[in-house]
Amino acid sequence: MKLALTLSALMALTAPSLALANGCSHDRQVMTCADGMTLDISSGTCVPDATT
């Protein structure tokens, strides 16, 4: 019983750390532009597509 309680407490303490270790994916967002527009990488905005 004491071993089970100790293991449960250890898992409860380490679970948040393991979840945070996964990290965030804020830098992996994909931006899409409307038809006739293209993404300008330098400004990060949509601009009219010059090829259409």
Side-chain angles (χ1 to χ4, degrees):
M1 178 76 177
K2 188 174 182 181
L3 178 62
L5 183 61
T6 303
L7 289 176
S8 297
L10 182 62
M11 288 189 318
L13 290 173
T14 58
S17 299
L18 295 175
L20 290 174
N22 191 26
C24 298
S25 60
H26 295 292
D27 59 336
R28 296 183 198 173
Q29 292 179 350
V30 177
M31 183 172 178
T32 57
C33 297
D35 290 339
M37 304 287 277
T38 187
L39 180 63
D40 180 17
I41 303 276
S42 61
S43 68
T45 60
C46 293
V47 294
D49 190 2
T51 61
T52 58

